[in-house]
Amino acid sequence: MGPEAKLYKKLASQWSDFSFTRLENISLLGTPDLLVYNTNRHFFTIELKVTKGKKLKFSPHQIAFHVKHPDNTFIIAKTLGPLPSNTSPISMYHGSRIRELAACGLALEADACGLDACGLLLNQVGSKA
């Protein structure tokens, strides 16, 4: 099982209130890895990235997808290996920030850090609050 598949399994087990569909799409390049349905009855997508450093690699198709679909799209990155203290290995970014993320990597301030914070933000998608 690859690192992104392991990350998917971790998210699915941690966020059991969400309904996950893993997208394995070779015909529509750039399509995010996950289609997710939250407790507010809204769909969103998640692109999964696993890295050993601060740089994240995106294909031109992935960038184009998030530029075309800036709302309700997210990128979750997991960093492997040693981290500075007070640093979460899981960070999440709105898809609309993909160009910044591709340029700056994980030096870019995340929209949420840690599984709990990411889950809370994702559960707010579609809320009327």
Side-chain angles (χ1 to χ4, degrees):
M1 182 181 318
E4 287 183 3
K6 288 179 185 176
L7 178 56
Y8 159 69
K9 293 271 189 193
K10 183 174 184 132
L11 299 180
S13 67
Q14 179 87 15
W15 301 333
S16 57
D17 290 347
F18 294 168
S19 174
F20 289 87
T21 301
R22 185 130 191 247
L23 304 174
E24 297 288 341
N25 197 335
I26 59 171
S27 61
L28 292 173
L29 299 175
T31 303
D33 299 308
L34 303 175
L35 177 65
V36 186
Y37 190 70
N38 70 7
T39 58
N40 289 319
R41 303 172 72 180
H42 280 79
F43 283 103
F44 53 90
T45 62
I46 299 175
E47 177 65 37
L48 300 175
K49 292 292 178 186
V50 177
T51 183
K52 292 181 182 176
K54 291 188 177 192
K55 183 133 178 79
L56 295 173
K57 295 179 184 177
F58 296 98
S59 74
H61 299 289
Q62 290 171 323
I63 293 171
F65 181 93
H66 285 88
V67 168
K68 186 175 181 179
H69 308 286
D71 299 325
N72 296 346
T73 61
F74 300 90
I75 300 156
I76 294 181
K78 178 177 181 175
T79 306
L80 301 174
L83 295 169
S85 60
N86 298 327
T87 302
S88 173
I90 304 285
S91 53
M92 187 172 74
Y93 304 84
H94 285 88
S96 60
R97 300 178 71 201
I98 193 165
R99 286 184 173 149
E100 292 174 88
L101 190 55
C104 301
L106 297 177
L108 183 66
E109 184 176 349
D111 295 309
C113 292
L115 281 176
D116 291 340
C118 294
L120 288 172
L121 181 64
L122 293 172
N123 208 34
Q124 292 174 5
V125 173
S127 70
K128 297 177 182 173

